Amino acid sequence: MFRIKTLNKIARVGLDQLDKSRFSVEEDCANPDGILVRSAKMHDYEFPEALRAIARAGAGTNNIPVDRCSEAGIVVFNTPGANANAVKEEVIFAMLAASRHMFAANEWARKEAAAGGDVLTTMEKVKSQFAGPEILGKTLGIIGLGAIGARVADAALGLGMNIVGYDPYLSVHAALALDRRVNVVNNLDELLKVSDYITIHVPLNDSTRNTIDAEAISKMKGSVRIINLARNGLVDEQALLPALSSGRVAAYVTDFPDAQIANAPGVIALPHLGASTPESEENCAVMAAHQ
């Protein structure tokens, strides 16, 4: 009997994949053979002697000390692609919300109503301040063309956008799966100079940290809208702040806000909602259990 410890709540449909004649699953297992985890940070986790494998129900392994696991002979799995559709939908939402100032407009309406104002009458006088561009015909730059980036490209093409993609690690299989209308460039600068919207979908490591920095921002078109729903650290937010103030960056949507960036002008701050759908959680749990 293999003992499996859960460090987060794992969807029942995933746990049900484990044959009960071979696996016992519990939260408080002292010496597990395997661990199922979502977002719990394990960098200071003391590995039990019996531990053989860790499966993360999510994309990436930033919360797991992979190097230390390798030294201890512990296999680490994750579930790439299982949450791709959920993140894709959030990207489309982010572009629309950033373009049409939806959050600011909603905040105005609620405040006006709370103050006893005649919203229906007043809104005709103020609605112009929330006007913004349509995404039809605009260019979306996608940094990272893996499971999520490719789905974003397909969805945006369906909305009439032009797509420019950049991925120095693009596999032959992934490249062949891309729609032929996606213009894949070999240099990030080519993407930066033509994109009206930029969304980033790469893991965080030494080579990707601050992919969008002051130099990158200087090469972008004016009034660009940037979306980071992938990882904290991919965007140098200290370099972003003056660009938001000047209007060079018209909007920034992030799933990883700190107090400073959340209160900056032009920012839509979200609490890491990329994979927060029941479908995504179930997909990740099932895939992790099979891993």
Side-chain angles (χ1 to χ4, degrees):
M1 180 71 73
F2 295 106
R3 296 160 295 181
I4 308 299
K5 181 181 179 69
T6 57
L7 295 186
N8 298 103
K9 183 179 179 181
I10 305 297
R12 172 52 57 185
V13 68
L15 300 181
D16 287 344
Q17 304 299 308
L18 299 172
D19 184 348
K20 290 179 175 57
S21 69
R22 299 180 59 216
F23 299 94
S24 66
V25 181
E26 52 190 293
E27 294 181 21
D28 300 318
C29 180
N31 194 24
D33 298 287
I35 288 176
L36 284 169
V37 61
R38 286 180 60 203
S39 58
K41 299 185 185 306
M42 297 187 66
H43 288 280
D44 296 325
Y45 189 84
E46 185 174 344
F47 296 143
E49 184 178 349
L51 188 61
R52 305 181 185 193
I54 299 170
R56 179 173 183 243
T61 55
N62 296 72
N63 58 320
I64 301 171
V66 177
D67 290 345
R68 194 155 60 89
C69 290
S70 297
E71 293 171 3
I74 300 167
V75 182
V76 176
F77 301 99
N78 67 333
T79 58
N83 63 358
N85 187 71
V87 179
K88 173 206 75 178
E89 290 185 0
E90 191 185 15
V91 172
I92 301 303
F93 158 79
M95 284 196 296
L96 293 169
S99 289
R100 305 293 295 273
H101 306 286
M102 296 298 189
F103 282 97
N106 176 255
E107 184 178 4
W108 172 85
R110 294 173 72 90
K111 286 183 176 179
E112 184 72 7
D118 185 346
V119 178
L120 284 173
T121 300
T122 310
M123 67 183 184
E124 294 300 326
K125 300 176 182 178
V126 304
K127 67 180 184 182
S128 61
Q129 65 185 275
F130 304 118
E134 298 178 15
I135 63 175
L136 178 67
K138 304 302 191 301
T139 297
L140 171 63
I142 304 175
I143 303 173
L145 294 167
I148 295 172
R151 288 200 181 209
V152 170
D154 287 342
L157 285 168
L159 293 169
M161 301 187 80
N162 305 308
I163 309 299
V164 177
Y166 170 75
D167 190 334
Y169 305 107
L170 184 64
S171 69
V172 173
H173 176 76
L176 290 173
L178 286 173
D179 190 289
R180 61 182 178 80
R181 292 172 291 174
V182 177
N183 177 22
V184 179
V185 296
N186 296 319
N187 189 299
L188 180 58
D189 289 356
E190 295 180 59
L191 180 151
L192 298 175
K193 68 183 181 183
V194 301
S195 298
D196 301 294
Y197 301 80
I198 295 173
T199 182
I200 185 166
H201 301 285
V202 297
L204 177 66
N205 53 45
D206 290 340
S207 66
T208 62
R209 189 177 302 277
N210 292 335
T211 293
I212 297 178
D213 57 9
E215 182 180 359
I217 292 170
S218 71
K219 298 173 182 176
M220 296 176 187
K221 296 172 66 173
S223 298
V224 66
R225 290 166 169 83
I226 300 172
I227 300 164
N228 176 21
L229 307 180
R231 286 288 181 269
N232 186 32
L234 295 174
V235 177
D236 181 353
E237 294 180 344
Q238 292 305 307
L240 189 66
L241 289 169
L244 285 164
S245 297
S246 69
R248 184 169 190 81
V249 175
Y252 175 53
V253 185
T254 176
D255 242 352
F256 315 96
D258 60 17
Q260 184 179 30
I261 202 71
N263 288 305
V267 171
I268 295 176
L270 305 171
H272 199 182
L273 297 178
S276 294
T277 68
E279 296 88 349
S280 174
E281 292 182 10
E282 290 182 359
N283 290 341
C284 288
V286 168
M287 188 172 178
H290 280 285
Q291 297 273 41

